[in-house]
Every structure is written in structure tokens, then in C-alpha cells.
Amino acid sequence: MGEERFGEFVLVRRHEEGVVAELVLDRPKAMNAVSTEMARSVVAACSALGGDRTVRVVVLTSTHERAFCVGADLKERNSFSDADLLRQRPVSRGAYTGVLELPVPTIAAVHGFALGGGFELALSCDLIVADRTAVVGLPEVSVGVIPGGGGTQLLPRRVGAARAAELIFTARRVEAEEAHRLGLVDQLVAAGEDRTEALSLAARIAANSPVGLRAAKRALRLGQGLDLRAGLEVEDAAWRAVAFSGDRAEGVAAFNERRAPRWPPAG
């Protein structure tokens, strides 16, 4: 298992012969509060992962025992002038869009607090595995702002407009079982098992066609919000991108020969 650090607060570990990448939030003294420096590191790590064709799945995890991420670093923000805040905005926004725009399937492994920007990082992933200690929410209106890392757009896509409005307007925290019931998280596992389960899920996903996974994610993301006819055109374009690939040929051959596929090297 290889490991690479991006700045002081973010590292990337490799699993499953390198095809699963674990993007680790590692600022435990601040419960992974997203400072400007940490945001830059997330951007850099996502840029590296997004350009690595060998990566098939990314799992977002935390080193803090009681928190996934508590959101923006409000202690740092308290020292900002309006001009400072304006200058920081592209940096902080880049961290969330960096995760959101990763071209491969992404899984957040959530335990403890995932609040504000922390929950938005999880929402930027395709799937969220949470353990029973998880507490999630978007409390930004309680401190005079709004969810600015994608929350107002990603949450209603998960749970519908009215439910998202209630959660954002009340700024309330939602504990694990209710979060699972409402669809705020996708899988609920025993306390302390979120990372293990997320990596296991990632390994199952990574066994599939690298070309197919990227194309399926592209179709899912680009088709959101389109009418059915337009969405089917997006799907058709993604199908054409894989139908004549080496992965398709190998997948069909492996099925007929009753063996595990040996996917061609990433190009």
C-alpha cells in the first residue's frame, strides 16, 4: 500500500494494487476543519487522482476518531476581512468541486461529525457509507451564510427540494439512523466500520471495467436535471465511448469463457 502526502493535512493511500485510492483528511487537531491550506491540498490531491488513469475508485476518509469533517475553519474565517474572504472563495470552492468532478466512482466513509462543508464533501461523492456515530447537517444559516460547497444543489438531488429546504432552513443536525432513513447517507454500518465497509465496497466496484465505470459515472452526472430524451442522448454517447473499447471485448470474452476479466492497461 503506497502513500503520498499533499501538504500537511491531506494524504493519499493506495489499495487493491493501486486501483483504489483513499483520499484521507488528516487535520485531527482541528477535527478536519477546512482551512485555506487544507483546501489547497484537497485540490492538489484531486487533480493528481483525476489525471491518473490507473485509479478506478476513490474513497474519502478521515483520521479523526470523532469526526469526518466539521466544515469550514471558522477560527481562520474570524480573522478574515471581506477582501480575504473573497480571495479565499475560489480556493475553498475548488476543494468541493475537485471531489465532485473526479471522473471515477467516489465513496465517502463518514463517522462522527460531518457538518457544513464536511457534509458537502461527502455529498460531492457518489455514495456515502456512514457508521452509527455519524451526525450530519448543513448548519450554515445559523452562522449567517449558506451552504456554499454545493449543499443547496446536491442535497435536493438526494432527498428532494422540500426535505432539503427543511434541513437547510432549520440548520439541524441529523443522527445516523434518521440520516439513513431520509437518504442523506446510503449505507449504515456498525460504529467504527465505515472505512472498512467503504474500502470493501470500493474493491467490489474496482473489479469492474475501468472504461465502463468512468463512462457510467459521466452518464449519471451529465444526465442529472435533463429531460428523459436529452438524458438518453447522454447515455448513448457514453455507450458509444465504451462499446468499441478493449474493455468491452475483454468483458464479453471473459463472460463467455467463464473467467474473471483481465482488463487492458489504462491508456
Side-chain angles (χ1 to χ4, degrees):
M1 181 176 70
E3 185 171 295
E4 180 180 5
R5 185 163 286 278
F6 292 82
E8 185 180 354
F9 303 130
V10 173
L11 59 91
V12 170
R13 297 175 179 143
R14 298 303 187 104
H15 305 268
E16 304 294 327
E17 299 182 345
V19 299
V20 173
E22 182 183 1
L23 177 58
V24 186
L25 305 177
D26 186 31
R27 195 187 177 204
K29 291 182 180 178
M31 301 180 82
N32 290 326
V34 182
S35 63
T36 304
E37 181 183 350
M38 186 172 177
R40 287 196 180 100
S41 296
V42 172
V43 170
C46 288
S47 178
L49 291 171
D52 187 343
R53 296 292 300 185
T54 65
V55 174
R56 300 182 193 174
V57 187
V58 173
V59 180
L60 185 59
T61 69
S62 160
T63 59
H64 196 283
E65 293 182 357
R66 295 185 293 107
F68 173 73
C69 173
V70 294
D73 187 340
L74 296 184
K75 290 184 179 178
E76 179 188 60
R77 291 275 181 92
N78 194 47
S79 69
F80 280 2
S81 66
D82 288 352
D84 292 332
L85 186 60
L86 190 60
R87 277 192 295 269
Q88 193 218 29
R89 175 60 176 164
V91 179
S92 62
R93 188 178 180 191
Y96 304 106
T97 56
V99 175
L100 184 66
E101 294 177 358
L102 283 167
V104 296
T106 50
I107 305 167
V110 173
H111 60 267
F113 297 112
L115 302 172
F119 189 36
E120 288 174 305
L121 284 172
L123 289 171
S124 296
C125 294
D126 298 299
L127 297 167
I128 302 175
V129 176
D131 82 357
R132 291 187 178 275
T133 71
V135 179
V136 305
L138 296 175
E140 284 87 347
V141 298
S142 70
V143 293
V145 290
I146 70 165
T152 66
Q153 304 306 304
L154 294 170
L155 189 58
R157 283 169 166 78
R158 270 188 164 268
V159 299
R163 179 67 68 191
E166 183 262 322
L167 292 168
I168 291 170
F169 294 163
T170 62
R172 72 182 179 94
R173 300 180 179 191
V174 183
E175 295 188 358
E177 289 200 15
E178 183 185 6
H180 185 234
R181 187 171 69 251
L182 296 179
L184 300 174
V185 304
D186 302 300
Q187 292 187 25
L188 185 61
V189 299
E193 293 297 314
D194 54 297
R195 177 177 178 269
T196 299
E197 289 296 326
L199 287 170
S200 177
L201 175 58
R204 295 197 299 275
I205 293 171
N208 296 309
S209 158
V211 171
L213 289 172
R214 287 172 179 256
K217 175 159 181 173
R218 189 164 60 249
L220 284 164
R221 286 291 176 90
L222 292 179
Q224 286 182 2
L226 300 179
D227 63 43
L228 179 59
R229 185 179 296 276
L232 290 173
E233 290 302 316
V234 168
E235 180 183 82
D236 186 64
W239 178 87
R240 291 175 185 276
V242 300
F244 308 104
S245 69
D247 277 27
R248 192 273 308 166
E250 169 59 16
V252 172
F255 176 83
N256 284 289
E257 295 166 16
R258 298 183 179 181
R259 59 173 175 81
R262 297 183 290 271
W263 304 116

